């Protein structure tokens, strides 16, 4: 994720206050690196601090190179900011460093430097050397503990005298207050409590409906008409999901996603996620449009006949039909030839390009946010393959946003819901290898958490 241009930063407290909002949680045992483009903040990267035993020699050099490689994805960057967050409650690295053996120190080097910790001092020096050689000089660095924070290199007692400056200066900074006013919040770190929507409470009516719809879809998995009907229904739901959610008390409002989907509709959508080609098409459609979803299905040879008559739709009261312009676009229902021709002409991106964030140039972030809201509801209805598919889809959206920690937590939850769920395993492996989504690598395409038009 990149920082929006319209947020005004007046001091280090604002920069450090922005980090938890950018990540979605207050990091612990973490190195956070932020690129700079002149005086403008760029991309934010969070990684676990290396173990003390790895803060020397080839292991430390390799760690610094990895950080460099990530940050070089921001091609406009000309500098870097570093922030080191304490590893556990009660640990204040701002006040002379953690105890021996805690993350960030091994107590074996008398040259702890201004950072207070020998291993941490070596880490910062190596990062400064490596990033400086790459044209990304470290312009400032800070140490943030549970109660205090300070500049990593400041020796001015009027500024950074032990134990440091109160952490409340960060939590109460002007930028933090502005972000809260705009609706941003800082939640729990991934893996502490489970991310929102990762726990399920069975909805018997929805699960019964899912079983009925699965039987209806049997024999129609490769039917073109059924495929187009499924996408058409998902379009209607995603259009509603793009509007503010209705409260449970207000009931269904026309064109607005209800707080809880009707059981029959939830069962239908869950059953479609259990058909691999339909699941993939929904992800592609949300990011790149329906034409890309249909053209990709044609390219993969998904269709090979079927009854030619789709299963009846669930009731869709309160979900208006898709605008006529969308229905008549290439690749819309009844236009399979146009979809195939668009694919052959290279006018729409392929599934692989979309799933890796290589195309289109900028995804439909609003539609992806709507899909995320729908998947939260579907994943909360019950377990099994449909839940794994919903969690995996949400994980992919978080990976596209550049929030790897949340993505990994969701992929892990998907594997718990359905052990061996293949798409979750493949996407998790991308994260473990350090692969960044193509959109997250470019400022002009990267997800912006904060609405440019917000107050």
């Amino acid at each position: 994720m990149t920082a929006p241009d319209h947020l005004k930063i007046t001091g280090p407290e604002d920069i450090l206050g922005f980090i938890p909002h950018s990540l979605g949680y207050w990091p612990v045992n973490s190195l956070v690196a932020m690129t700079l483009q002149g005086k403008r903040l760029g991309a934010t990267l969070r990684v676990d601090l290396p173990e003390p035993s790895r803060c020397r020699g080839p292991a430390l050099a390799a760690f610094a190179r990895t950080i460099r490689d990530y940050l070089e994805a921001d091609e406009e960057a000309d500098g870097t900011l570093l922030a080191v967050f304490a590893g556990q409650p009660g640990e204040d690295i701002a006040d002379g460093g953690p105890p021996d053996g805690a993350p960030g120190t091994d107590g074996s080097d008398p040259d702890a430097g201004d950072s207070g910790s020998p291993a941490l001092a070596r880490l910062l020096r190596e990062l400064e050397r490596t990033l400086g050689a790459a044209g990304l000089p470290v312009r400032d660095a800070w140490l943030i503990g549970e109660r205090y924070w300070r500049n990593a290199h400041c020796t001015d007692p009027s500024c950074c005298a032990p134990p440091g400056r109160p952490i409340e200066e960060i939590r109460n900074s002007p930028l933090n207050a502005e972000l809260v006013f705009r609706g941003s919040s800082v939640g729990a770190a991934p893996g502490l409590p489970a991310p929102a929507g990762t726990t399920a409470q069975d909805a018997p009516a929805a699960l019964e409906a899912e079983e009925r719809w699965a039987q209806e879809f049997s024999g129609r998995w490769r039917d073109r008409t059924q495929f187009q009907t499924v996408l058409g229904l998902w379009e209607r739901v995603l259009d509603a999901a793009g509007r503010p959610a209705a409260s449970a008390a207000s009931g269904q409002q026309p064109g607005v996603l209800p707080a809880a989907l009707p059981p029959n509709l939830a069962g239908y959508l869950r059953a479609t996620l259990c058909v691999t080609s339909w699941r993939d098409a929904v992800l592609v459609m949300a990011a790149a449009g329906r034409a890309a979803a249909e053209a990709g299905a044609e390219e993969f040879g998904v269709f090979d006949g079927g009854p030619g008559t789709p299963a009846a739709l669930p009731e869709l009261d309160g979900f208006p039909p898709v605008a006529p312009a969308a229905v008549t676009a290439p690749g819309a229902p009844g236009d399979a030839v146009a979809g195939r021709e668009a694919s052959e002409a290279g006018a729409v991106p392929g599934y692989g390009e979309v799933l890796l964030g290589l195309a289109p140039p900028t995804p439909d972030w609003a539609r992806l946010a709507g899909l995320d809201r729908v998947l939260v509801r579907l994943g909360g209805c019950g377990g099994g393959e449909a839940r794994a598919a919903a969690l995996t889809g949400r994980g992919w959206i978080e990976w596209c946003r550049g929030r790897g920690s949340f993505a990994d937590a969701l992929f892990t939850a998907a594997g718990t819901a359905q052990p061996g769920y293949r798409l979750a395993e493949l996407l998790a492996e991308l994260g473990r290898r350090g692969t960044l989504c193509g959109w997250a690598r470019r400022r002009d395409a990267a997800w912006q958490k904060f609405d440019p038009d917000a107050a």
Side-chain angles (χ1 to χ4, degrees):
M1 199 198 91
T2 59
D5 295 331
H6 57 282
L7 293 175
K8 184 178 180 180
I9 293 173
T10 59
E13 301 92 333
D14 284 334
I15 295 173
L16 298 176
F18 173 76
I19 289 173
H21 287 275
S22 175
L23 298 175
Y25 58 95
W26 188 279
V28 296
N29 191 34
S30 298
L31 169 71
V32 176
M34 305 180 73
T35 59
L36 287 171
Q37 301 166 357
K39 295 184 178 181
R40 185 175 63 180
L41 290 178
T44 303
L45 169 71
R46 189 218 68 85
V47 297
D48 291 343
L49 285 172
E51 291 296 325
S53 61
R54 299 185 63 81
C55 285
R56 61 172 68 250
L60 178 57
F63 178 86
R65 289 195 299 270
T66 299
I67 301 301
R68 176 202 64 194
D69 293 345
Y70 273 118
L71 298 182
E72 284 183 330
D74 185 351
E75 297 179 354
E76 299 179 15
D78 57 13
T80 311
L81 300 173
L82 300 178
V84 178
F85 286 79
Q88 52 193 332
E91 178 181 304
D92 264 304
I93 55 177
D95 182 16
D100 289 352
T105 183
D106 58 9
S108 62
D109 189 340
D111 182 19
D114 298 323
S115 67
S117 159
L120 185 54
R122 293 195 298 271
L123 172 63
L124 291 176
R125 285 198 299 267
E126 185 65 23
L127 286 169
E128 289 167 355
R129 185 191 67 79
T130 302
L131 294 174
L136 297 170
V138 176
R139 297 186 185 170
D140 222 333
W142 300 276
L143 309 176
I144 303 94
E146 184 184 25
R147 295 172 297 168
Y148 303 101
W149 71 279
R150 67 179 177 88
N151 187 285
H153 303 306
C154 180
T155 58
D156 182 354
S158 67
C159 173
C160 297
R165 300 168 65 174
I167 201 72
E168 286 74 18
E169 291 183 355
I170 297 174
R171 298 187 187 276
N172 300 328
S173 70
L175 182 62
N176 182 70
E178 181 178 352
L179 294 175
V180 171
F181 176 73
R182 296 183 182 208
S184 179
S185 61
V186 177
L192 293 181
T198 59
T199 56
Q201 296 180 343
D202 285 355
L207 296 179
E208 292 172 5
E210 178 187 345
E211 186 174 349
R212 292 196 305 271
W213 286 114
Q215 294 174 355
E216 288 285 339
F217 295 151
S218 179
R220 291 186 166 97
W221 300 329
R222 300 175 68 85
D223 184 281
R224 178 179 285 107
T225 304
Q226 182 64 65
F227 175 85
Q228 293 167 341
T229 301
V230 166
L231 291 192
L233 184 140
W234 269 99
E235 275 192 308
R236 293 178 68 171
V237 173
L238 293 180
D239 277 357
R243 302 178 178 89
S247 66
S250 65
Q252 175 71 32
Q253 301 174 22
V256 176
L257 187 70
L261 293 172
N264 199 32
L265 175 59
Y268 184 102
L269 296 173
R270 280 174 60 94
T272 65
L273 293 177
C274 295
V275 180
T276 301
S277 58
W278 299 354
R279 174 205 66 195
D280 294 348
V282 169
L283 298 180
V284 169
M285 180 176 70
R290 183 162 175 174
E294 293 198 337
E298 293 282 355
E299 181 181 357
F300 281 116
V302 167
F303 311 119
D304 67 353
T309 304
L313 289 172
E315 292 183 2
L316 289 168
D317 293 341
F319 293 90
V322 178
V327 174
T328 57
D335 199 3
V337 173
R340 183 165 54 250
E341 290 177 348
S343 178
E344 293 171 353
V348 293
Y351 275 29
E353 293 175 297
V354 176
L355 293 176
L356 292 174
L358 303 177
T362 303
D364 188 337
W365 287 118
R367 180 58 63 92
L368 285 171
L371 175 59
D372 185 59
R373 286 190 282 272
V374 175
L375 294 177
V376 168
R377 290 161 170 76
L378 297 180
C381 290
E385 183 177 358
R387 174 169 162 77
L391 291 167
T392 301
R394 293 183 61 210
W396 176 71
I397 293 169
E398 293 292 4
W399 179 73
C400 291
R401 290 169 169 169
R403 305 201 328 168
S405 297
F406 282 105
D408 186 69
L410 288 161
F411 296 144
T412 299
T416 300
Q418 181 85 356
Y421 194 69
R422 186 59 176 158
L423 183 59
E425 291 180 339
L426 291 173
L427 293 173
E429 181 63 22
L430 284 178
R432 284 191 291 269
R433 293 182 178 181
T435 303
L436 291 176
C437 175
W439 297 315
R441 295 171 65 95
R442 302 194 341 267
R443 183 179 181 86
D444 60 336
W447 174 63
Q448 295 284 348
K449 179 178 179 180
F450 310 104
D451 184 350
D453 298 323

